Amino acid sequence: MSFRSLKKKTTYEGSKLEDIEDVDTTINAQKQLERYFAGIEEQFAQVCLENQQLKAKLRQMERQLKYHDDQSKQQEGISNMHTFELDGAWQHLRKNPSQFSKKVMIKYKEQTNKIVSSFRPVNLPPVHIKLVTRYSGHKDGVWDVCYCSWLKGKAIIGTASNDKTARIWQADGKNCLLKYLGHSGSVNSIRFHPQLPLVLTASGDRSTHVWSCDVPENYEIFPDETVTHSEEDFSEGEQEENVAAAVVVKTPQRTLDGHSSVVTTAEWLNSGTQAVTASWDRTALVWDAEVGTIMHTLSGHEEELTHTAVHPSQALIVTCSKDTTFRVWDFRTSIHSVNVYQGHTATVSCAVFTSHTDCVISASDDCTAKVWDLRNMRTPITTIHCDASVNRLAVSENTHHTLAVPFDNRHVRLYDMQGNYLERLPRRSQPGHQRMVCCAVWATDDKPANLFTCGFDNRTIAWKIGVEFER
């Protein structure tokens, strides 16, 4: 055998050995993967089994709640039993985290919060709710509603809509008084001046307008505006009345241009001499409303701003953002300060100050609303767990400080400042909202209604809320 033939044979046998080793390695890898997949399937089956057991426990708890008629026994007996069982199950989850995925744990905790938050303490006062008026006329969803009781001695409300218009209505529901057509984008918020017949509106066209709501005697006719009144019994149907009068305003008295993106909210500041606006450009601007110049730029949020509000009696501004934080800006001294609060895990949709206490209330897409003490805001003093994203809520000034909380799921619920659930506004077919409720606002008096809500069913609704607190 020649040297060349020997070399070829040796090379062939060497490559054959290498192929055999590669095959063995592949087989070992396949067996190892099969063992891994078998372990994963076994663990997943265990997760599914535990999840089914948790769902069975929740269904059992719901059945037990339905069969107890006595509210006092329900609160004393069932809530304690639920607390014991749920705490025990949750401790089991914490001791054995490897058996459960994070998604299952979060889902279980959400269901627990939903059940516990549905309890209504038996010692709370009864709440009486009556639908007074429906305002129909907007061609698209209504983002915002505001109330004014002093203009010309009559109560009026303003609405801002995605149909690029703002409207002024008589609060008793008889007429649509004015229709503003000055914006070229969605009108996102509306506020009445605290002393003058002026309105401040923020829009998706990146501008904020100041315009007059002083209705003259001569005005144009718009027969398309309709208002629906309710009967004593909601189920008896509705009556429609054509409203024939509405003034049209197309030109603002002043335009505040300074943002580079959508303006979400605008508020009067310092008795109406100044204004503050919040925008998707991640800034809030403080304006000299009489001149139209920028006085301060409030920057620092990492994402778009969703809302801004001012304190009713102090030089405080709160701004909310999609970055899960809200900030309180203090202008009470010459050295301005800002505090950042990180109490939510999703977009903060709004925050409002209370006039009766040093508190601020925040709402978020993380399905919570929280009450904070301005003097110590490290942790909230009250947390309200909900089952849907919370939109622009409101706290009453003269109705025992009741919270009106609107949700994405068409509900509006009432709570007290301690987070106790009081009542839900009716939503049976016709009476309530049929789509997302965007905003709620309390009236400063009780005539003819004391709560107004608006939503993406193109309607604004006036309610009469009565809470019978013991004296």
Side-chain angles (χ1 to χ4, degrees), residues 177-363:
L177 302 175
L178 187 145
K179 183 177 181 181
Y180 181 68
L181 305 177
H183 285 291
S184 59
S186 170
V187 185
N188 300 322
S189 78
I190 182 169
R191 291 294 182 272
F192 289 106
H193 193 281
Q195 299 174 356
L196 302 175
L198 296 175
V199 177
L200 184 70
T201 51
S203 174
D205 60 12
R206 307 180 183 181
S207 69
T208 303
H209 290 182
V210 179
W211 45 275
S212 173
C213 62
D214 192 8
V215 180
E217 294 183 0
N218 298 324
Y219 43 79
E220 293 186 45
I221 303 298
F222 277 82
D224 64 326
E225 315 300 338
T226 61
V227 175
T228 303
H229 300 273
S230 69
E231 296 291 338
E232 287 290 331
D233 185 359
F234 292 155
S235 62
E236 291 182 1
E238 302 176 350
Q239 295 178 349
E240 293 188 357
E241 176 183 352
N242 290 327
V243 180
V247 176
V248 172
V249 177
K250 297 182 179 180
T251 305
Q253 290 189 358
R254 189 170 296 106
T255 300
L256 307 180
D257 286 324
H259 287 291
S260 59
S261 188
V262 171
V263 185
T264 58
T265 323
E267 287 274 2
W268 294 104
L269 180 66
N270 194 17
S271 300
T273 60
Q274 300 173 358
V276 57
T277 57
S279 171
W280 281 3
D281 63 9
R282 306 183 183 183
T283 66
L285 301 179
V286 178
W287 303 79
D288 185 331
E290 298 177 345
V291 181
T293 57
I294 299 175
M295 301 176 61
H296 303 284
T297 299
L298 311 181
S299 59
H301 282 290
E302 297 179 357
E303 294 188 35
E304 295 91 337
L305 270 63
T306 57
H307 188 258
T308 185
V310 300
H311 195 281
S313 59
Q314 303 182 48
L316 296 173
I317 300 173
V318 60
T319 55
C320 308
S321 173
K322 292 183 179 180
D323 62 10
T324 74
T325 70
F326 67 96
R327 300 179 177 223
V328 176
W329 309 78
D330 192 345
F331 288 85
R332 292 176 292 186
T333 62
S334 58
I335 302 176
H336 303 157
S337 62
V338 58
N339 293 316
V340 183
Y341 302 103
Q342 301 175 341
H344 292 283
T345 59
T347 296
V348 182
S349 55
C350 84
V352 295
F353 294 101
T354 60
S355 59
H356 54 282
T357 58
D358 290 331
C359 293
V360 61
I361 306 170
S362 61

Side-chain angles (χ1 to χ4, degrees), residues 122-182:
V122 296
N123 58 346
L124 291 180
V127 180
H128 303 286
I129 301 174
K130 177 184 177 182
L131 188 149
V132 179
T133 307
R134 292 191 192 89
Y135 307 86
S136 302
H138 283 293
K139 308 304 180 184
D140 206 335
V142 184
W143 287 115
D144 198 17
V145 59
C146 63
Y147 178 83
C148 177
S149 62
W150 60 265
L151 188 62
K152 291 188 175 183
K154 295 183 178 180
I156 59 175
I157 64 169
T159 54
S161 173
N162 197 49
D163 64 6
K164 304 180 183 180
T165 70
R167 300 174 189 240
I168 307 298
W169 309 79
Q170 286 186 354
D172 58 10
K174 292 182 180 179
N175 292 296
C176 175
L177 302 175
L178 187 145
K179 183 177 181 181
Y180 181 68
L181 305 177

Side-chain angles (χ1 to χ4, degrees), residues 76-96:
E76 296 173 2
I78 297 180
S79 64
N80 291 335
M81 181 186 65
H82 284 187
T83 302
F84 176 78
E85 290 187 359
L86 294 177
D87 286 346
W90 185 244
Q91 291 298 329
H92 177 70
L93 288 176
R94 295 181 62 183
K95 291 179 181 178
N96 302 277

Side-chain angles (χ1 to χ4, degrees), residues 58-74:
L58 292 177
R59 287 194 294 268
Q60 181 181 3
M61 295 172 190
E62 291 175 355
R63 287 195 297 269
Q64 290 173 348
L65 285 174
K66 292 180 181 178
Y67 287 120
H68 288 74
D69 298 326
D70 192 313
Q71 291 186 352
S72 61
K73 291 183 179 179
Q74 174 184 338

Side-chain angles (χ1 to χ4, degrees), residues 13-77:
E13 292 177 350
S15 62
K16 187 175 181 180
L17 290 174
E18 290 178 357
D19 292 341
I20 294 173
E21 290 178 356
D22 291 341
V23 171
D24 293 339
T25 303
T26 303
I27 293 174
N28 292 333
Q30 288 178 348
K31 291 182 179 180
Q32 189 173 5
L33 285 176
E34 289 176 357
R35 288 195 297 271
Y36 287 157
F37 282 122
I40 291 173
E41 290 177 356
E42 182 179 357
Q43 186 175 359
F44 182 74
Q46 183 68 19
V47 169
C48 293
L49 178 61
E50 295 289 347
N51 190 21
Q52 292 296 327
Q53 292 175 354
L54 294 177
K55 289 182 179 179
K57 283 187 177 181
L58 292 177
R59 287 194 294 268
Q60 181 181 3
M61 295 172 190
E62 291 175 355
R63 287 195 297 269
Q64 290 173 348
L65 285 174
K66 292 180 181 178
Y67 287 120
H68 288 74
D69 298 326
D70 192 313
Q71 291 186 352
S72 61
K73 291 183 179 179
Q74 174 184 338
Q75 182 61 24
E76 296 173 2

